Amino acid sequence: MVLVTGATGKIGSEAVRLLGPVRTLVRTPSGGADEVVGDFDRPDTLDAALRGVDTLLLIGPAVESQIAVLDRAAAHGVRHVVRITNHKSYVDSPVARRRAHARIDAHLKASGMEYTLLAPNFFMQNLLALAPEIAATGGFSGSAGEGRIGMIDARDVAAAAAAIAAAPTEHAGRTYLLTGPDLVTFADVAREWASATGQPVEYRRISAEEHCAAMVANGVPEAESNAQVFGLLAEGDGAWLSEDFAAVTGGAPRGLRTFLADCVGGKCRTPRLP
Ligand SMILES: NC(=O)c1ccc[n+]([C@@H]2O[C@H](COP(=O)([O-])OP(=O)(O)OC[C@H]3O[C@@H](n4cnc5c(N)ncnc54)[C@H](OP(=O)(O)O)[C@@H]3O)[C@@H](O)[C@H]2O)c1
């Protein structure tokens, strides 16, 4: 039995689709077949979800309560945890959520359960947050400068996660770095978005401080952390590629053009904006 958490999110919803019948942990009931209502922040709600589970696909925000989820999973005899972490989850990262990921990863490695970590680069789906500004102004502002980024389609993160959750043994103890096929900049995003929509798209370069203020004004969650990440991206934080997606799935990851054709063209399975 596989349990998928974060099942309503970008990775989880696609992983559930690919895996077929699995149990899901959701915070809000949606009428799914084997769905358990629970919350990382309320460990007592997790027992019903974890009962009889062999493999846990642990997806969700980098909150410390994931540590309690791991403890609960170990107590229930879960054998293998497949966890989505971050590609720069270091204990001394300047970004709080990356430090939290590092603490959760360390706890998992010490838990006695088998584990596989998936460490993706920047998600292409993050770009969908630009859509309202592009529609309203014909462009978007950002502070990632000319930083090159090995962006990955979250559907491909899901494909790798589903492949591993379906046959976890051979992936035990491994960390896979996940990227798309190309290094792209936000100038490339503007050009490809224009090409996908037939409308010009301007990339307005702003400072990290201006970007942070704009995100705060627009009510973007975790605006300060996001501004930190964009500043790091400008410095090359995301300028790396990996072949691990092909090694895990045997296929090729989607590129930016495919993502934009699917998701800006309206056919994307992503259930909501990031
Ligand atoms: N975005 C990026 O560029 C990027 C890059 C590398 C790694 N990551 C990592 O990817 C993960 C996010 O995956 P995603 O994009 O698929 O997620 P997402 O679309 O943001 O969805 C988050 C999921 O977690 C669930 N959730 C939130 N709080 C919860 C709680 N307290 N208890 C149980 N479930 C909870 C949400 O449920 P509700 O529907 O109830 O809200 C939702 O299903 C994070 O760990 C992030 O750090 C992201």
Side-chain angles (χ1 to χ4, degrees):
M1 163 80 71
V2 176
L3 171 66
V4 180
T5 74
T8 55
K10 294 183 286 298
I11 303 168
S13 58
E14 177 71 355
V16 168
R17 188 184 75 81
L18 293 170
L19 279 164
V22 289
R23 185 175 296 162
T24 56
L25 180 81
V26 295
R27 294 195 295 179
T28 309
S30 74
D34 190 0
E35 179 179 270
V36 176
V37 176
D39 192 314
F40 295 164
D41 296 329
R42 291 167 39 230
D44 56 304
T45 64
L46 301 171
D47 292 325
L50 287 164
R51 206 160 287 131
V53 169
D54 306 306
T55 303
L56 168 62
L57 175 47
L58 182 57
I59 310 169
V63 286
E64 300 286 339
S65 50
Q66 280 202 31
I67 285 176
V69 179
L70 291 172
D71 290 343
R72 219 74 176 197
H76 275 275
V78 169
R79 283 206 289 268
H80 197 120
V81 178
V82 183
R83 176 169 194 276
I84 308 297
T85 182
N86 182 278
H87 64 111
K88 296 281 167 63
S89 60
Y90 305 137
V91 285
D92 58 353
S93 168
V95 184
R97 61 177 179 245
R98 293 179 174 187
R99 293 195 299 275
H101 268 309
R103 287 192 291 274
I104 301 162
D105 290 344
H107 196 82
L108 173 55
K109 288 176 180 177
S111 70
M113 296 181 285
E114 302 284 11
Y115 68 87
T116 308
L117 294 173
L118 296 182
N121 209 323
F122 187 92
F123 293 175
M124 294 179 189
Q125 275 73 3
N126 298 340
L127 302 173
L128 297 175
L130 304 173
E133 189 184 352
I134 293 173
T137 71
F140 62 87
S141 308
S143 57
E146 310 311 318
R148 299 190 306 157
I149 308 162
M151 295 185 191
I152 183 163
D153 191 317
R155 294 174 296 178
D156 289 330
V157 180
I164 295 165
T169 310
E170 66 189 277
H171 303 288
R174 304 289 304 272
T175 296
Y176 295 111
L177 300 169
L178 298 177
T179 70
D182 306 305
L183 292 175
V184 296
T185 67
F186 273 83
D188 296 325
V189 169
R191 197 181 57 252
E192 291 294 338
W193 194 299
S195 163
T197 59
Q199 302 288 328
V201 175
E202 182 191 4
Y203 172 31
R204 296 183 282 269
R205 292 150 180 85
I206 56 175
S207 70
E209 294 72 25
E210 291 169 320
H211 200 180
C212 185
M215 287 191 280
V216 169
N218 289 327
V220 174
E222 299 185 57
E224 287 83 5
S225 291
N226 288 332
Q228 270 182 310
V229 169
F230 280 105
L232 291 169
L233 291 172
E235 294 166 8
D237 181 80
W240 58 276
L241 293 173
S242 161
E243 300 292 327
D244 286 356
F245 177 83
V248 169
T249 67
R254 296 168 174 91
L256 180 64
R257 190 167 295 177
T258 301
F259 165 76
L260 290 171
D262 288 354
C263 296
V264 175
K267 291 178 287 170
C268 193
R269 290 181 177 278
T270 299
R272 61 181 182 183
L273 300 183

